[in-house]
Amino acid sequence: MTILIRGASLMGEGATDILIDGDTIREVGTVKVSADRVIDAHGIIALPGLVDLHSHLREPGGEGSETILSGSRAAAAGGFTTVHTMANTSPVADTAELVELVAERGRHAGYVQVRPIGAVTRNLDGEQLADIGGMAHSSAAVTVFSDDGRCVGDPLLMRRALEYVSTFGGVIAQHAQDPRLTIDAVVNEGRVSSELGLRGWPSVAEESIIARDVLLAEYVGARLHVCHISTAGSVDVIRWAKKRGIAVTAEVTPHHLLLTDDCALTYDPVFKVNPPLRTADDVQQLRLAVADGTIDIVATDHAPHASSTKDCTWHDASFGMVGLESALSVVQHTLVDAGHITWPDVARILSVAPAAIGRVGGYGAPLAVGSKANITLVDPAHTANWDTSRLHGRSTNSPFIGTVLPGRVVSTIFNGTETVVDGFLVEPEIVRNA
Amino acid sequence: MKHLISARGLEATPTVAILDTAMDMVDVRTREVKKLPTLRGKTVANVFFEDSTRTRLSFEAAALALSADVTTFTTQGSSVSKGESLKDTLQTLEAMGADFIVLRHPHSGVASTVVNSGWVDAHIINAGDGTHEHPTQALLDAFTMRSRLRGENARGSNLAGISVVIVGDIFHSRVARSNALLLRTLGATVTLAAPQTLLPREIDSWGAAIVSTLDEAIDLQPDVVMTLRVQRERMTSGFFPSESEFTQLWGMNDSRLRRLPPTSIVMHPGPMNRGLEISGSVADSPQSTVTEQVANGVAVRMAVLYTLMGDSR
């Protein structure tokens, strides 16, 4: 099977043809030969397949809100070809058996590469290390370990985890939230929490853990990845650590690049998320930090929740937002269209860099001849009202419904297989049998 | 105005109108026949997810005085604190004919959620939601201040020129939050006196001055000192070190009362911790309005029901 992409703008730059043969990019440039299938991509931007370092596909245990298949479809619709799925399933992904199960179900679904993230501590209890070596050496070859949803709060355990994981070349992805400073916290602490009478989640609870962890990482010589940073102060700490040569990487979510805590003023639980939406100044500093490279990647923190846990009071609602389908549009809106970065930077922050942090092969030379054919085609000129028809997972807790966002994924190609054609998801049996 | 959720949305003119209506309701309460037929055939459902006998009784008395039928739903504990159950509970009550739902809930924002969610069509009155707001308390406090300090000239007036000190646990107090907002709307000046631990962050928008101790606040010679109930468990959570230190720095006592102008009043929303935030002798002094606040509460809640009745939008 050969696919010829005609006239695509290569990462936003010159128009070119891309010839795919099997699962490999065969030619880039002016392609003279024809192919089994030709995609007219004039005016369309070609990006490397997107890589998400942070999602919750909920399986096993949370199939009411998402499954590996439904989450994979949401991912493909958003232009992703690899997603990492967090360990806070039920049971927790803290053994080789479980991560192998997750990876296998991802392969079976066939829309994207599903890379399980292993728990740092057994059952996410923050007390005893999980089977890190077993997961690393399993067929799932886990490289990223995280108790996401919970912080590895105990400094001694965090030190040991950093050291132990580095033994296997892996990385700890820390959910930076001081548990004591955030008891019952449900919204950013500041003007809005004071107005709403809701318990505040202070910025310092994130920043103090990051500060501690970068120093620990430096001390033990390990890599550290910081999940979903949300405050201007966290940016400062990361910037300082990088300048000092500490092996730290940082991610920001699309929603923290666009939304502020003012969204909570109506107590609409769709805006309840952890870490919470912060202030307009935080949003601005996060955008600038992506632009200057302090923040390495954008990751979705795709967190599906059944409607019953969002059609309720703020207090009772679950934390989290779905984000796989909207990530690229929000990045275009907040970073590209706002003039902070260019499309080659988008390829870096949504594909090359997250793949490098997760040690995912095949993403090192984006859209180069000989690379795996993981390609996302996006129409940047498309602008539309964001509604539930754009969502393809089992849950609809998107904070962007009713807003206007630019950009639309028109084609996603995963290892040479089309998972999205003309903006529509390919049927599961076709993908599975490809 | 169909619902009463927050003091934030209240503007001065309709607020003064509610206070004036409450004056009429006080008159009704002194007549031989203490009832109006206004809500005959209507049902007021008191839905209390948090125990508060006095607020519930006050709303009941107000509803009965307007000839409404009253149903009461009280419960505590987690089995009904989940959102789905709240939705179901309210829809059930409405299906049974509730025209007004008076809602008390331990979690902030619940009354707003009920209004915004469209779960029910009934009028919603927030009778206290978590540490957010308690707007009828602020209205009855404003009413009490106005009648005490304005006397014969109360009708039609706002609270311009009146200075109010709110002292104590501002952070956890829905009474303080609603009062600070409503008093500002009515033109009063507000000063908050509390330790930093008991002040919310970034409250510039409240338009209140902030002082550290009650003595500094007394130096301002305020017309009103509003004390607040302090939960004893705040001590163990590190908000303040001991009851005695709290009483010493933020408790209303005789010597502080003597330093106030004789026309000044001391308020408390109840229930009081006598000897902690307010001394027994201050609570029982002529300058205390504690029992008056309770009496005014019924009239003000009548006025609120009456006002909401007239507007179904």
Side-chain angles (χ1 to χ4, degrees), chain A residues 267-270 305-314 316-318 396-397, chain B residues 82-88 91 113-114 116-119:
Chain A
Y267 294 98
D268 182 346
V270 78
H305 288 291
S307 65
S308 60
T309 69
K310 285 292 189 181
D311 182 24
C312 57
T313 67
W314 186 275
D316 291 337
S318 302
T396 56
N397 53 308
Chain B
K82 296 285 179 212
E84 192 70 20
S85 297
L86 173 68
K87 177 179 173 178
D88 290 344
Q91 288 181 341
T113 299
V114 171
N116 295 334
S117 64
W119 292 337

Side-chain angles (χ1 to χ4, degrees), chain B residues 178-201:
Chain B
S178 286
N179 260 296
L181 293 165
L182 193 73
L183 289 169
R184 187 168 185 232
T185 301
L186 291 174
T189 58
V190 179
T191 301
L192 308 175
Q196 283 291 321
T197 47
L198 293 178
L199 282 170
R201 284 174 69 86

Side-chain angles (χ1 to χ4, degrees), chain B residues 193-212:
Chain B
Q196 283 291 321
T197 47
L198 293 178
L199 282 170
R201 284 174 69 86
E202 297 179 37
I203 52 172
D204 304 352
S205 67
W206 294 18
I210 294 169
V211 298
S212 298

Side-chain angles (χ1 to χ4, degrees), chain A residues 9-67:
Chain A
S9 161
L10 205 64
M11 291 186 263
E13 324 232 298
T16 189
D17 305 330
I18 303 169
L19 180 67
I20 299 163
D21 185 358
D23 65 357
T24 306
I25 295 175
R26 192 61 65 201
E27 280 186 59
V28 176
T30 305
V31 177
K32 296 282 196 320
V33 299
S34 191
D36 301 330
R37 182 168 148 63
V38 178
I39 299 171
D40 177 12
H42 288 88
I44 301 295
I45 291 172
L47 295 171
L50 307 184
V51 177
D52 191 15
L53 199 65
H54 190 154
S55 74
H56 299 269
L57 301 189
R58 301 293 187 218
E59 186 177 347
E63 290 84 352
S65 56
E66 197 77 287
T67 64

Side-chain angles (χ1 to χ4, degrees), chain A residues 189-200 266-269 279 307-308 311-316, chain B residues 8 81-84 86-87 107-110 112-113 116 119 131-132 171-172 177 200-203 206:
Chain A
E189 183 170 279
R191 180 180 52 81
V192 170
S193 66
S194 295
E195 176 174 333
L196 296 179
L198 291 172
R199 194 54 63 90
T266 57
Y267 294 98
D268 182 346
T279 68
S307 65
S308 60
D311 182 24
C312 57
T313 67
W314 186 275
H315 176 275
D316 291 337
Chain B
R8 186 168 296 272
S81 70
K82 296 285 179 212
E84 192 70 20
L86 173 68
K87 177 179 173 178
H107 300 146
S108 300
V110 169
S112 304
T113 299
N116 295 334
W119 292 337
T131 54
H132 178 225
F171 184 88
H172 298 95
R177 200 171 257 95
R201 284 174 69 86
E202 297 179 37
I203 52 172
W206 294 18

Side-chain angles (χ1 to χ4, degrees), chain A residues 152-178:
Chain A
V152 181
D154 180 337
L156 177 60
L157 193 65
M158 185 61 181
R159 176 209 165 141
R160 298 286 186 238
L162 285 165
E163 290 175 317
Y164 196 75
V165 165
S166 67
T167 312
F168 303 95
V171 64
I172 301 272
Q174 173 72 296
H175 172 120
Q177 173 181 7
D178 187 304

